[in-house]
Amino acid sequence: MKLTELKATDLIKGYENRDFSCEEVVREYLKNIDEKEKEINAYVTVMAEDAIESAKKVDEKYQNREELGILAGIPVGVKDNIAVKNVKMTCSSKMLENFVVPYDSVVSERLKKEDSVIIGKTNMDEFAMGATTKTSYFGVSKNPLDTSLVAGGSSGGSAAALGAEECALAVGTDTGGSTRQPASFCGLVGIKPTYGSVPRYGISTMANTFDQVGSFGKDVEDAYLLLKALSGKDKRDATSTGNISLTDNIDFSNDEKAVEYLKDLKIAIPQMYIDMNLNSRVKDDFNKAIDVFKEKGAQIEIVEMDSIKNVIETYHILTNGEIASNMARFDSLRYGHRTKEYDTYEEMFKKSRSEGFGDEVKRRIMIGTHILSLDLAEDYYYKALKVRTLIKEEYEKIFKDFNMVLCPTVPVLPFKIDEEMSPVEMYQADLFTIPANMTGSPAISIPMPKLDGLSVGIELTGRRFKDQEIIKAALGFERSVK
Ligand code: GLN
């Protein structure tokens, strides 16, 4: 078995037994990157030298029997909207093409503290707006399962890097599904924890009240390990919370015990999801998943959840409002792309922003600015806020009687790279992932077994601060279908 095929927790066991060194592992990964990147395009920046240097430090610590962090020696890919000190952070935008960030995000501080090896910055949709990475200034990331397909988005580079064995764990962000959707497209596990659980300090904001950091792993255990390293309060993010207690000891070593986690779970499925016209392969896999949960003792009930029919429109009104104000900081005055020729400051702002942003970002800024304007805010923005409250209340009601909501992660299979899609068609694919961001709930995508080389993701959305509940259920499910 190649070292890059090992999952993160097995790498750690290998280091502990001195089966191989961290430097050997990192060099294998860099070799993979060299061989595959031309085709896959998962990274915007590969940090080869830094990675080897960190690997040597980890090896030294092992040799000296020093205390090591929980990610010791694990090569990690980090989405390019997350600051890593003295490394370029482009958000896959021309606007930040040459921007080297002078400080660490909380995420990268924690990755370093836990002795992981940051191996590179991964490609994404420009400023995380999209579902394919096709809005990236640096081109699309291809799906390692089938390179004629997209890897998903916006954290498509993170999923592609992990799927192509160009890293062993990957960090993403998730505003409306950007970790779970690419995880589903690439046959991986993706977790979006409860809103506020991973501090956002040092992460380029798309929509403040929706954004969360996401964790990718080859399986539930790996994705959970990364989440453990990253979660926990930090005072530099006022919305971060110490409340997600990942304190239960989850036993990953025993399949039978894992399957026990499904027993007596109360799971809701919205009627609308059953009635929908899903892709037939997605529908088949969803039905199989329902059978697995039932067989292992979970109780499944179909419920009415009327408000979810409004999630896509509500999401776009609210996020575009937040996006328009967040993107205002890119004025070309302090940092970022500046146009070459201009006579007035106004012309400089206009030209720099026109040149620096791609179409999808511009579209969202324009819609956001429009709906926030004085005479329209009442009709759109404030109304959407009220709908968000209704959606939240409906979920709270469901969570009084049920532990979690079950659905496919995405209603369709991965898109073809050359498929032409209108923005609205692309937005429709976020139907199942948006509610967790709208309500702040934790959610996880777990792959069904592959068929014809592709896999369909199944999603569990749980109660806020009860992240472990869905993680245990996902583990039980993963072990039931393996
Ligand atoms: N696909 C969604 C969008 O385009 C989600 C993006 C995200 O989660 N960053 O808005």
Side-chain angles (χ1 to χ4, degrees):
M1 196 186 218
K2 276 176 67 182
L3 291 175
T4 51
E5 285 171 31
L6 293 173
K7 67 189 214 81
T9 50
D10 286 339
L11 278 177
I12 293 173
K13 281 182 205 141
Y15 294 140
E16 281 166 358
N17 296 333
R18 307 289 190 272
D19 293 338
F20 39 74
S21 72
C22 180
E23 190 179 338
E24 268 174 83
V25 168
V26 168
R27 286 191 190 279
E28 279 298 312
Y29 272 102
L30 291 172
K31 209 169 106 203
N32 264 2
I33 291 176
D34 256 1
E35 285 167 10
K36 297 185 181 185
E37 260 310 271
K38 258 209 183 83
E39 173 80 350
I40 299 290
N41 192 34
Y43 287 102
V44 176
T45 306
V46 177
M47 295 160 54
E49 278 171 30
D50 292 338
I52 289 175
E53 203 182 298
S54 319
K56 284 182 175 159
K57 278 190 194 142
V58 171
D59 284 333
E60 245 175 63
K61 281 192 175 179
Y62 267 114
Q63 260 151 24
N64 302 336
R65 301 194 182 281
E66 283 173 53
E67 207 180 308
L68 283 143
I70 64 169
L71 298 178
I74 306 298
V76 184
V78 177
K79 189 174 179 178
D80 209 18
N81 57 352
I82 301 176
V84 177
K85 191 175 172 173
N86 297 335
V87 179
K88 261 205 296 193
M89 166 169 150
T90 68
C91 296
S92 287
S93 178
K94 179 174 177 177
M95 184 55 91
L96 294 177
E97 190 180 1
N98 299 309
F99 175 60
V100 176
V101 61
Y103 65 96
D104 264 327
S105 56
V106 174
V107 165
S108 43
E109 271 176 17
R110 289 183 181 169
L111 288 174
K112 290 175 183 175
K113 183 174 145 265
E114 297 300 342
D115 294 307
S116 75
V117 174
I118 302 179
I119 197 160
K121 302 295 299 293
T122 58
N123 192 28
M124 53 186 277
D125 282 291
E126 187 179 9
F127 286 105
M129 301 174 204
T132 58
T133 67
K134 277 160 96 174
T135 72
S136 165
Y137 181 60
F138 304 104
V140 68
S141 293
K142 293 185 181 168
N143 191 323
L145 297 176
D146 175 344
T147 51
S148 71
L149 305 175
V150 301
S154 64
S155 315
S158 294
L162 180 61
E165 291 168 7
E166 298 181 32
C167 61
L169 288 174
V171 188
T173 59
D174 193 311
T175 304
S178 280
T179 296
R180 291 158 285 154
Q181 186 257 33
S184 168
F185 279 6
C186 296
L188 303 163
V189 171
I191 308 176
K192 183 210 83 87
T194 298
Y195 179 77
S197 49
V198 180
R200 291 179 291 116
Y201 174 79
I203 299 178
S204 164
T205 306
M206 175 174 154
N208 318 45
T209 67
F210 292 78
D211 294 348
Q212 235 317 268
V213 169
S215 158
F216 288 96
K218 283 184 181 155
D219 64 2
V220 176
E221 182 178 22
D222 274 12
Y224 179 62
L225 177 72
L226 179 58
L227 177 62
K228 260 176 110 167
L230 300 181
S231 63
K233 199 176 168 70
D234 186 283
K235 63 175 185 311
R236 288 165 291 178
D237 172 1
T239 63
S240 81
T241 162
N243 282 350
I244 101 159
S245 42
L246 304 179
T247 49
D248 291 5
N249 268 330
I250 304 181
D251 186 353
F252 289 96
S253 67
N254 184 323
D255 286 357
E256 271 157 44
K257 264 201 196 146
V259 174
E260 287 279 301
Y261 288 136
L262 301 187
K263 215 166 155 234
D264 299 328
L265 276 184
K266 295 190 79 187
I267 299 180
I269 303 178
Q271 179 73 51
M272 178 184 150
Y273 295 172
I274 302 279
D275 298 340
M276 262 182 71
N277 215 350
L278 291 172
N279 165 287
S280 63
R281 165 74 193 278
V282 175
K283 188 150 203 143
D284 283 353
D285 270 340
F286 182 40
N287 285 334
K288 279 185 208 155
I290 294 174
D291 289 343
V292 170
F293 277 102
K294 279 188 184 157
E295 224 170 78
K296 304 296 175 191
Q299 298 168 33
I300 298 207
E301 239 179 82
I302 314 289
V303 297
E304 293 295 336
M305 288 181 84
D306 273 352
S307 68
I308 50 181
K309 65 177 188 293
N310 302 312
V311 290
I312 295 178
E313 294 80 355
T314 313
Y315 168 82
H316 281 281
I317 294 172
L318 294 175
T319 55
N320 286 343
E322 295 185 29
I323 285 166
S325 59
N326 282 316
M327 291 296 126
R329 67 167 62 85
F330 298 102
D331 55 11
S332 79
L333 200 57
R334 291 161 293 184
Y335 58 97
H337 172 77
R338 183 180 300 171
T339 191
K340 288 211 172 62
E341 282 171 35
Y342 52 89
D343 290 327
T344 61
Y345 280 127
E346 197 181 326
E347 196 188 343
M348 181 185 88
F349 294 145
K350 255 194 206 159
K351 278 180 77 184
S352 303
R353 285 168 66 84
S354 305
E355 292 164 7
F357 289 136
D359 286 349
E360 184 62 26
V361 175
K362 285 178 189 158
R363 180 177 302 120
R364 297 193 193 203
I365 294 173
M366 284 195 296
I367 298 174
T369 309
H370 183 66
I371 52 131
L372 285 181
S373 58
L374 210 51
D375 49 339
L376 290 177
E378 204 61 58
D379 286 347
Y380 290 101
Y381 193 72
Y382 293 113
K383 219 175 240 172
L385 280 176
K386 286 179 193 155
V387 179
R388 184 181 197 174
T389 303
L390 290 178
I391 296 169
K392 276 188 185 163
E393 283 171 359
E394 189 153 78
Y395 270 83
E396 267 160 34
K397 211 172 108 210
I398 288 293
F399 287 141
K400 282 205 175 101
D401 297 324
F402 296 90
N403 305 92
M404 54 199 75
V405 173
L406 173 70
C407 60
T409 310
V410 194
V412 291
L413 293 176
F415 316 113
K416 284 260 178 221
I417 287 179
D418 51 20
E419 186 177 331
E420 286 294 328
M421 260 190 309
S422 72
V424 174
E425 279 172 305
M426 188 181 76
Y427 301 159
Q428 302 294 336
D430 299 330
L431 179 69
F432 298 142
T433 46
I434 288 173
N437 304 81
M438 197 76 96
T439 57
S441 311
I444 183 167
S445 177
I446 330 116
M448 284 294 280
K450 285 196 189 88
L451 188 73
D452 301 328
L454 277 188
S455 147
V456 166
I458 297 297
E459 183 182 41
L460 293 168
T461 303
R463 310 185 227 207
R464 283 193 310 138
F465 308 114
K466 302 275 185 205
D467 300 51
Q468 281 195 327
E469 244 179 27
I470 55 162
I471 287 162
K472 284 182 198 164
L475 173 68
F477 180 73
E478 176 185 83
R479 301 295 165 95
S480 304
V481 295
K482 86 171 190 186

